[in-house]
Amino acid sequence: MAARREVRRAAFLLSFEKLFLDDTLENIFENAKLIDEILVDDEVKALVEGIYSKQEELDGIIGRYSNKRAVSRIPKINLAVLRLAIYEALYDEKVPVNVAISEAVALTEKYALDPDVSFVNGVLGSFSKSIKQTGAEPQ
């Protein structure tokens, strides 16, 4: 079994790739396996499929906490990170909210630009506060 950080990184990269391709997730998984640079196992597939099954809900939450720009104007790299973090925070009981946020910020620091780190951190910070205040996921 792969380390959770590697699963998360692979899911992020595959989700990011999907934002540019009008292709099925299965084809994206198959192509990634052929290239053999990104982990594609059942855990990664489940995470990516989960993100895309909840995409509308996740984007609604992102839109609610993104004060500076509409979801359609958020750079794709940030959108992929935000979807992953919020999905993990809401739907993966093994991942505490603070870990999902910390890992998302780390991915942003590695793959995006400096201003993106502040943006992602701000959106996820506001999201996290709303969860703590209500004790449940935001609607």
Side-chain angles (χ1 to χ4, degrees), residues 96-111:
V97 174
N98 62 328
V99 171
I101 292 171
S102 175
E103 291 292 322
V105 170
L107 283 168
T108 308
E109 287 171 344
K110 181 171 183 175
Y111 292 103

Side-chain angles (χ1 to χ4, degrees), residues 106-120:
L107 283 168
T108 308
E109 287 171 344
K110 181 171 183 175
Y111 292 103
L113 302 172
D114 284 344
D116 296 327
V117 176
S118 297
F119 173 74
V120 166

Side-chain angles (χ1 to χ4, degrees), residues 87-104:
Y87 179 83
E88 281 191 307
L90 294 179
Y91 296 105
D92 191 332
E93 64 278 351
K94 296 178 293 195
V95 180
V97 174
N98 62 328
V99 171
I101 292 171
S102 175
E103 291 292 322

Side-chain angles (χ1 to χ4, degrees), residues 20-33:
F20 292 95
L21 300 176
D22 185 23
D23 207 347
T24 66
L25 287 176
E26 200 50 50
N27 284 343
I28 289 172
F29 296 150
E30 288 304 315
N31 290 336
K33 281 183 187 176

Side-chain angles (χ1 to χ4, degrees), residues 2-97:
R4 183 64 191 192
R5 182 166 279 163
E6 183 55 28
V7 168
R8 186 178 288 111
R9 180 185 157 281
F12 157 70
L13 292 171
L14 292 167
S15 297
F16 179 61
E17 184 176 344
K18 173 72 172 120
L19 289 167
F20 292 95
L21 300 176
D22 185 23
D23 207 347
T24 66
L25 287 176
E26 200 50 50
N27 284 343
I28 289 172
F29 296 150
E30 288 304 315
N31 290 336
K33 281 183 187 176
L34 290 173
I35 296 168
D36 199 30
E37 291 180 8
I38 300 173
L39 173 70
V40 181
D41 65 7
D42 290 343
E43 202 174 355
V44 171
K45 286 181 180 181
L47 187 51
V48 175
E49 289 165 351
I51 291 165
Y52 276 89
S53 73
K54 301 288 186 184
Q55 178 180 327
E56 203 171 298
E57 177 189 352
L58 299 173
D59 287 357
I61 293 168
I62 292 166
R64 199 167 313 123
Y65 298 106
S66 171
N67 301 339
K68 296 185 179 176
R69 47 187 106 133
V71 172
S72 61
R73 308 262 314 152
I74 295 173
K76 287 179 176 23
I77 197 147
N78 296 348
L79 189 57
V81 168
L82 289 166
R83 285 177 177 168
L84 170 63
I86 294 170
Y87 179 83
E88 281 191 307
L90 294 179
Y91 296 105
D92 191 332
E93 64 278 351
K94 296 178 293 195
V95 180
V97 174

